[in-house]
Short mmCIF file of all heavy atoms in Angstrom, two decimals:
data_model
loop_
_atom_site.label_atom_id
_atom_site.label_comp_id
_atom_site.label_asym_id
_atom_site.label_seq_id
_atom_site.Cartn_x
_atom_site.Cartn_y
_atom_site.Cartn_z
N ALA A 1466 -118.09 119.05 -87.83
CA ALA A 1466 -118.92 118.70 -86.66
C ALA A 1466 -120.24 119.34 -86.78
O ALA A 1466 -121.28 118.61 -86.54
CB ALA A 1466 -118.24 119.17 -85.41
N ALA A 1467 -120.37 120.56 -87.26
CA ALA A 1467 -121.66 121.22 -87.30
C ALA A 1467 -122.42 120.60 -88.43
O ALA A 1467 -123.67 120.35 -88.27
CB ALA A 1467 -121.40 122.67 -87.68
N ASN A 1468 -121.82 120.18 -89.53
CA ASN A 1468 -122.49 119.46 -90.56
C ASN A 1468 -123.06 118.07 -90.13
O ASN A 1468 -124.18 117.83 -90.48
CB ASN A 1468 -121.50 119.33 -91.78
CG ASN A 1468 -122.20 119.19 -93.10
OD1 ASN A 1468 -123.10 119.96 -93.39
ND2 ASN A 1468 -121.79 118.22 -93.86
N THR A 1469 -122.23 117.43 -89.36
CA THR A 1469 -122.71 116.11 -88.81
C THR A 1469 -123.94 116.30 -87.91
O THR A 1469 -124.92 115.57 -87.96
CB THR A 1469 -121.67 115.46 -88.02
OG1 THR A 1469 -120.46 115.39 -88.88
CG2 THR A 1469 -121.97 114.01 -87.67
N GLU A 1470 -123.84 117.41 -87.02
CA GLU A 1470 -125.03 117.70 -86.17
C GLU A 1470 -126.27 117.99 -87.00
O GLU A 1470 -127.35 117.52 -86.66
CB GLU A 1470 -124.69 119.03 -85.46
CG GLU A 1470 -123.87 118.78 -84.20
CD GLU A 1470 -124.61 117.99 -83.12
OE1 GLU A 1470 -125.67 118.42 -82.72
OE2 GLU A 1470 -124.12 116.88 -82.75
N GLN A 1471 -126.11 118.75 -88.08
CA GLN A 1471 -127.27 119.11 -88.98
C GLN A 1471 -127.92 117.91 -89.54
O GLN A 1471 -129.12 117.84 -89.75
CB GLN A 1471 -126.82 120.04 -90.07
CG GLN A 1471 -126.61 121.49 -89.65
CD GLN A 1471 -126.24 122.34 -90.78
OE1 GLN A 1471 -126.24 121.98 -91.93
NE2 GLN A 1471 -125.85 123.55 -90.44
N LYS A 1472 -127.11 116.84 -89.90
CA LYS A 1472 -127.72 115.70 -90.46
C LYS A 1472 -128.58 114.98 -89.52
O LYS A 1472 -129.50 114.28 -89.83
CB LYS A 1472 -126.61 114.80 -90.92
CG LYS A 1472 -125.92 115.30 -92.22
CD LYS A 1472 -124.89 114.42 -92.73
CE LYS A 1472 -124.33 114.99 -94.07
NZ LYS A 1472 -123.04 114.45 -94.39
N HIS A 1473 -128.29 115.22 -88.12
CA HIS A 1473 -129.09 114.44 -87.16
C HIS A 1473 -130.38 115.26 -86.82
O HIS A 1473 -131.38 114.67 -86.51
CB HIS A 1473 -128.29 114.27 -85.92
CG HIS A 1473 -127.16 113.34 -86.09
ND1 HIS A 1473 -127.27 112.01 -86.58
CD2 HIS A 1473 -125.80 113.54 -85.93
CE1 HIS A 1473 -126.07 111.51 -86.65
NE2 HIS A 1473 -125.17 112.41 -86.31
N HIS A 1474 -130.29 116.62 -86.95
CA HIS A 1474 -131.45 117.46 -86.75
C HIS A 1474 -132.04 117.86 -88.05
O HIS A 1474 -131.30 118.49 -88.81
CB HIS A 1474 -131.20 118.63 -85.91
CG HIS A 1474 -130.40 118.34 -84.70
ND1 HIS A 1474 -130.86 117.60 -83.61
CD2 HIS A 1474 -129.13 118.70 -84.29
CE1 HIS A 1474 -129.97 117.48 -82.75
NE2 HIS A 1474 -128.91 118.14 -83.06
N HIS A 1475 -133.20 117.55 -88.40
CA HIS A 1475 -133.73 117.92 -89.74
C HIS A 1475 -134.36 119.25 -89.69
O HIS A 1475 -135.60 119.32 -89.53
CB HIS A 1475 -134.72 116.78 -90.21
CG HIS A 1475 -134.04 115.52 -90.38
ND1 HIS A 1475 -133.14 115.26 -91.45
CD2 HIS A 1475 -134.15 114.37 -89.65
CE1 HIS A 1475 -132.74 114.04 -91.28
NE2 HIS A 1475 -133.32 113.42 -90.23
N HIS A 1476 -133.55 120.28 -89.83
CA HIS A 1476 -134.04 121.67 -89.94
C HIS A 1476 -134.34 121.87 -91.40
O HIS A 1476 -133.56 121.65 -92.28
CB HIS A 1476 -133.00 122.67 -89.46
CG HIS A 1476 -132.71 122.51 -88.02
ND1 HIS A 1476 -133.64 122.62 -87.01
CD2 HIS A 1476 -131.48 122.32 -87.37
CE1 HIS A 1476 -133.06 122.42 -85.80
NE2 HIS A 1476 -131.79 122.27 -86.06
N HIS A 1477 -135.53 122.50 -91.59
CA HIS A 1477 -135.91 122.75 -93.08
C HIS A 1477 -135.01 123.74 -93.77
O HIS A 1477 -134.69 123.63 -94.90
CB HIS A 1477 -137.37 123.09 -93.10
CG HIS A 1477 -138.29 121.95 -92.69
ND1 HIS A 1477 -138.38 120.82 -93.47
CD2 HIS A 1477 -139.08 121.80 -91.68
CE1 HIS A 1477 -139.16 120.01 -92.95
NE2 HIS A 1477 -139.64 120.55 -91.81
N GLN A 1478 -134.60 124.75 -93.00
CA GLN A 1478 -133.83 125.82 -93.64
C GLN A 1478 -132.44 125.26 -94.06
O GLN A 1478 -131.76 125.81 -94.87
CB GLN A 1478 -133.64 127.09 -92.79
CG GLN A 1478 -132.78 126.93 -91.58
CD GLN A 1478 -133.62 126.65 -90.40
OE1 GLN A 1478 -134.72 126.07 -90.47
NE2 GLN A 1478 -133.18 127.11 -89.19
N HIS A 1479 -132.02 124.19 -93.41
CA HIS A 1479 -130.63 123.71 -93.70
C HIS A 1479 -130.79 122.45 -94.66
O HIS A 1479 -129.80 121.86 -95.02
CB HIS A 1479 -129.98 123.22 -92.41
CG HIS A 1479 -129.61 124.31 -91.57
ND1 HIS A 1479 -128.74 125.32 -91.92
CD2 HIS A 1479 -129.93 124.57 -90.30
CE1 HIS A 1479 -128.63 126.16 -90.95
NE2 HIS A 1479 -129.29 125.81 -89.90
#
Side-chain angles (χ1 to χ4, degrees):
N1468 207 44
T1469 307
E1470 278 293 302
Q1471 279 180 12
K1472 285 182 180 164
H1473 296 303
H1474 310 298
H1475 296 289
H1476 295 305
H1477 293 295
Q1478 71 263 31
H1479 293 301

